[in-house]
Amino acid sequence: MLSSVQEKAMCNLCHGGKVVYHRVYSGEMLCRKCFVETFEKRVAKTIGRYGLLKRDDRIAVAVSGGKDSLSLLHVLKKIEKNFPQATLFAVTVDEGIPGYRDEALQYVEEVVQRLGVPLVKTSFEEAFGVPLNKIIESPSFKASGLAACSVCGPLRRRALNIAAKNAKATVIATAHTLDDIVQTYLLKAFRGELGSSDVGLRSEGPVIPRVAPFRLTPEREVVFYAYVVGLPFQTQVCPNASNTMRSPIRKFLTEFEEKHPGSLFAALKSFEKTSRTTEKNLNICVKCGEPTSRRTCRVCELLEMVTDTYHA
Ligand SMILES: [Zn+2]
Ligand SMILES: [Zn+2]
């Protein structure tokens, strides 16, 4: 929110535009045009600085229909224009959450049409033969004691990988923001896994690399970007959402950043010093043939645990 004094102020960068955004951690007061320009420039810089994308990549952008992923598609479409050898398409996964996902898909369709980006659709039904709503109704899911998100997350990542691979993608871009990345590092710290690998950076190996071009962009700015460029997006919360290990960490970090602006950037810097992206020697899952660090991958393990009908 802008104060009445801020509302009358002029943009720090162009000195002409009316202020619409206050970038608290840097002190900048920006007009609409300068906000959009600096936002997009930072994404391009992030890609360059970390080597997230290559000139001739075939980029699969993971889109859910929320503000983050549709904003990412919007920015990458603009950046891609400077890289004629690169191609871009959107991938979306229909988990099988009636009502919720259908609404999200409408926003995805609307935005890909507006931007002229091809869309690849897949579903749990297609990838695993069973939609999420069937999984969570099953007696074995109920007996497993797992939260819906704990099953949905790994399955969604796998479905996305399969669809991206079939569409010959060389990289998957996800809309994880600075906030998400710092949360993930902190979660890793609490699990004793910090230092093993970087989050959202490109690492080559048997799995299509996943990169996060919003690594240096706070969540708050992504919301504002979606709003100023006029993207429609889903605001409904997933009906299966439950408290996970991530929830208290998210709350803590958001409050901390509000009180001490710039903390998220500082935390990211610290985590980057302690982590190193290494190529892991992966096995092949004995059930599905996908790369895994164990004998049977987590996806196959989950599917066996929570479905009554699934046999790989
Ligand atoms: Zn300006
Ligand atoms: Zn497997």
Side-chain angles (χ1 to χ4, degrees), residues 91 93 122-124 127-128 154-164:
V91 190
V93 180
T122 186
S123 62
F124 281 12
F128 313 113
L155 262 51
R156 202 172 42 225
R157 270 193 296 281
R158 173 62 59 81
L160 192 66
N161 273 354
I162 297 172

Side-chain angles (χ1 to χ4, degrees), residues 204-244:
E204 302 297 338
V207 191
I208 301 177
R210 299 171 84 93
V211 299
F214 282 157
R215 184 180 182 85
L216 301 179
T217 305
E219 167 101 35
R220 190 171 174 261
E221 293 195 23
V222 177
V223 182
F224 195 69
Y225 180 80
Y227 165 72
V228 288
V229 301
L231 290 171
F233 58 84
Q234 188 174 41
T235 50
Q236 196 193 140
V237 176
C238 176
N240 301 324
S242 53
N243 278 335
T244 56

Side-chain angles (χ1 to χ4, degrees), residues 241-273:
S242 53
N243 278 335
T244 56
M245 251 177 107
R246 188 180 283 271
S247 319
I249 291 180
R250 181 187 296 123
K251 188 168 175 277
F252 159 72
L253 285 174
T254 306
E255 288 172 5
F256 201 84
E257 173 67 23
E258 241 168 62
K259 280 194 195 131
H260 310 284
S263 300
L264 288 177
F265 283 113
L268 180 72
K269 234 176 161 181
S270 305
F271 288 133
E272 283 178 351
K273 282 183 200 154

Side-chain angles (χ1 to χ4, degrees), residues 2 6 34-35 59-60 65 74 79 101 110 128 171 222-223 227 229 277 290 300:
L2 294 173
Q6 289 169 339
C34 292
F35 171 81
I59 311 158
H74 192 272
I79 294 175
R101 185 50 66 203
E110 197 181 324
F128 313 113
V171 64
V222 177
V223 182
Y227 165 72
V229 301
T277 293
E290 289 288 325
C300 287

Side-chain angles (χ1 to χ4, degrees), residues 11-17 30-34:
C11 171
N12 290 161
L13 295 182
C14 67
H15 306 292
L30 302 168
C31 72
R32 183 191 178 281
K33 186 176 141 279
C34 292

